[in-house]
Amino acid sequence: MKTTRRLRPIHYIYACLCLCLLGGCSTTRRLPEGETLYIGQRPTLVDNPQPTPLGETALEEAEAALAKAPNNSLLGSPYVRIPFPLGLWVWNGFHHYRRGLGRWIYDKFGAEPVLLSAVNPAIRSQAAQNLLHDYGYLRGTVSYDVLPSARDSLKARVRYHIHMGLPYFIDSVAYQGFTPRTERIFRLARRRSLISPGEQFNVPDLDGERQRLSNLLRNVGCYYFRPDYLTYQADTALLGGRRVAMRLVPVEGMPPAAERPFRIGRKSVWLLGKNGEAPTDSVTYRGLTIHYHDRLRVRPRMLHRWTDYQSFRAKRQVEDSAGISRQRSAASLYSLYRQTRVQERLANVGIFKYTEIQYTPRDSALTVDTLDVRIVAALDKPYDAELDFNIKMKSNNQTGPGASFTLTKNNVFGGGEKWGVELKGSYEWQTGRDRSSAMNSYELGLATSLTFPRVVFPRMGGNEYDFPATTTFRLYVDQVSRARYYKLLAFGGNATYDFQPSAGVKHSFTPFRLTFNVLRDPTDEFRQLQEDNPALYVSLRDQFIPAMEYSFTLDGSQRPGRRRPVWWQTTLTSAGNVTSLVYGAFGQPFGRQGKKLLGVPFAQFVKLNTEARYNHRLDKNQSLAARLALGVIWSYGNATTAPYTEQFYIGGANSVRAFAARNVGPGGYPADRHDTYAFINHVGDIRLEANLEYRFRLISDLHGAVFLDAGNVWLMRPDPARPGGEFRLKDFARQIALGTGVGVRYDLGFLVFRLDWGIALHEPYDTGKRGYYNIRRFMDSTALHFAIGYPF
């Protein structure tokens, strides 16, 4: 019988002592015979750098090909090393152990030396030189020098030398060896060419042009054409003077069917069973044969709309660009463009876990120019469930959990519809010396939504958009209980249309959104607060909020070729104006106060909110993220104060993290640290917020961050109850709250756990302390936030 010997604490102490003694050990004494330890690079010498976008890209990629991190590199840098090569010490000191504690130390802390022969600077130099040639620097060269260490001849650095030379430019582009139809299509599409006379020669553009021309031919019927069937012949000797004559020719042995147009024939859909069972029955709808297993779970009409090649509103774009006439027969040609749109449409419906489009020629000899289409698909699971959980810890001694549970039924009516129900809630209790059950608060919410993968009203005809379009109807009810003060019940609904005409652009339009806020069970203390602050009463009173909203989102990360993408979203909301126009039609002034809807006052305002984010990736382990957010709301007509739920606030885990949520502003209005519920007053009509965060990898999935946050909210009109809250340009600079801090993130890819510690540097009001750093006590200036996901 074998027994396992467990390591005792004394073993770990012994290991630490051994590691300390290893500090004096050599890092090269166990190197293989004739090998040299690579200890990094010297800064690369660059002759004749080119300050053009292509020149900078070529140099950046060449230096990336040369870079190789040595042992104990700092964050993967090829130039900077940590002064204590622990991994090499362990590798040299414990290399001979095969078992026991010594082998455990070797496995846990050892790092094999990076050898100069493995770095192979000659191969790296050749690869970097080839990259220069690819970007048009055909006379560019890359060389290197090995620099032995003055202290140890078995250690060496490498210094690379890049001579870029001058770029070559395209003089002419010709097409030879193609059929007359293909050459005519190429000539007609020249205005969108990626390579033109006068432009700098570079291989990435040549590859992109091959792909573009291949797609162009496939969009006009050439199903069997591929980019590999195109090749370039470049002549630099014919013209001289750094000019290149380009010829595009077909590769030798290109099949004749590659340039032949094919038409679409019979179409069918094969719906597999839940476990991949083959179809057992079929039905035909408007020429589409639908094969299914057991029973048909998708309406035939919807399958026909999703897979109809001729239903796209933009179906003529590609044919027109290629000069194809608008004859009805042209629409039956095979088109890669239409195939991609069908694939995207089936994916955006969201009810299929697997889809594949198969094309089969009518005969194997390709004597008939017809392709039959078979779409094979399998339905996804009918239900989805999601549970989110978080814990809030606020500097006002309010702590508690929050959770939300969402259940979604897919394909409700057999047309890709989704019906979802969301239940959410949170609870906060008072901690600290003044804790009391009377201080506890809670929030509860219930919402249900129905989403259609199309525009359902108004009816847009039988055609489909060639981009995702959805319609969502939503009903909800929320109740907020603020202990010692009030309960606020809000319920309502909205209808929203979402359109995504391209991968990085999204439009969202809500023509109708109605919310009804009901103030319930106000306490005497809250009534006293209302008397002191009439604007607060107006923002929290019983009222309707009839609104319409438009939102535009630009996501640069979804657009190809963007190396430093920007995310930008702008939302414009208008409330009560249509209702006021109806009043105006009956003779009542548009701006008159006191107007009611069903006997209850309604809000009237215009709100603009915009936010931009930028994420600059320094390397695979480091990035710099920034955000700028601006917002303004103007109330008029029926009330000069916006509803409380529509006003802006800052602070919290995703804002200025040195302060708790609703604990700053408006303007220079001071926070009352002795009143737990003073946050009710810290909202405003104007919002400005800026964040800067440096993110870096610590170990494996553990990341760190250092951040700087700034911002505040202000009032559009003076409020006697909140002196200093009005926006004044002369007070703007000193009324910006500023904070810094550090954080750690455990990034699992699909889930991120985040812990941020914010430290205030400047409070936007008079604290009694002179100077910009006006924090009275350091412990009162910190805030700890635990959250899920990145802040932006």
Side-chain angles (χ1 to χ4, degrees), residues 170 190 192-196 199 204-209 212:
I170 296 173
R190 279 297 301 270
R192 298 184 180 180
S193 176
L194 300 180
I195 56 172
S196 300
E199 294 182 352
D205 279 354
L206 299 184
D207 292 338
E209 179 68 0
R212 187 187 75 89

Side-chain angles (χ1 to χ4, degrees), residues 212-263:
R212 187 187 75 89
L213 294 176
S214 174
N215 291 346
L216 183 62
L217 289 178
R218 298 195 73 196
N219 284 329
V220 291
C222 301
Y223 171 75
Y224 290 100
F225 202 90
R226 300 292 182 269
D228 295 340
Y229 294 157
L230 299 173
T231 186
Y232 289 98
Q233 295 176 350
D235 193 337
T236 59
L238 179 65
L239 302 172
R242 294 188 288 112
R243 293 184 296 166
V244 184
M246 302 292 302
R247 289 185 298 274
L248 181 66
V249 298
V251 298
E252 185 177 355
M254 183 180 71
E259 295 182 82
R260 181 181 175 187
F262 284 81
R263 304 185 183 279

Side-chain angles (χ1 to χ4, degrees), residues 547-709:
M548 62 175 56
E549 185 174 275
Y550 168 73
S551 179
F552 171 78
T553 304
L554 177 65
D555 189 354
S557 64
Q558 302 299 321
R559 308 183 74 177
R562 298 296 178 93
R563 299 177 62 247
R564 297 179 178 90
V566 174
W567 182 93
W568 175 48
Q569 183 178 79
T570 296
T571 302
L572 178 64
T573 306
S574 172
N577 296 309
V578 174
T579 309
S580 293
L581 288 175
V582 175
Y583 271 85
F586 288 92
Q588 298 193 29
F590 180 81
R592 185 180 69 85
Q593 296 188 4
K595 297 188 294 291
K596 295 184 178 182
L597 178 65
L598 301 178
V600 178
F602 61 87
Q604 193 172 357
F605 62 83
V606 174
K607 180 179 180 181
L608 178 66
N609 200 11
T610 184
E611 180 177 334
R613 303 174 186 173
Y614 175 74
N615 196 333
H616 178 60
R617 184 178 179 182
L618 302 174
D619 57 39
K620 65 179 181 179
N621 294 312
Q622 304 175 87
S623 65
L624 193 64
R627 175 175 66 174
L628 178 65
L630 301 169
V632 60
I633 184 170
W634 175 254
S635 301
Y636 55 92
N638 219 26
T640 57
T641 302
Y644 188 80
T645 54
E646 296 288 342
Q647 296 184 52
F648 300 105
Y649 68 91
I650 65 167
N654 298 322
S655 182
V656 183
R657 284 160 282 186
F659 302 89
R662 292 184 173 90
N663 202 33
V664 181
Y669 177 67
D672 187 353
R673 300 184 181 276
H674 302 289
D675 188 349
T676 305
Y677 287 90
F679 66 86
I680 294 177
N681 286 317
H682 296 288
V683 293
D685 306 315
I686 303 173
R687 172 200 180 201
L688 173 63
E689 182 180 335
N691 310 86
L692 185 65
E693 184 169 286
Y694 170 60
R695 299 169 180 172
F696 52 91
R697 185 188 301 273
L698 293 173
I699 302 173
S700 185
D701 295 330
L702 188 64
H703 299 252
V706 178
F707 54 83
L708 184 68
D709 303 327

Side-chain angles (χ1 to χ4, degrees), residues 657 696 704-707 740-745 755-759 783-784:
R657 284 160 282 186
F696 52 91
V706 178
F707 54 83
T740 186
V742 295
V744 292
R745 294 95 164 85
L755 184 65
D756 286 335
W757 182 40
I759 304 171
L784 190 65

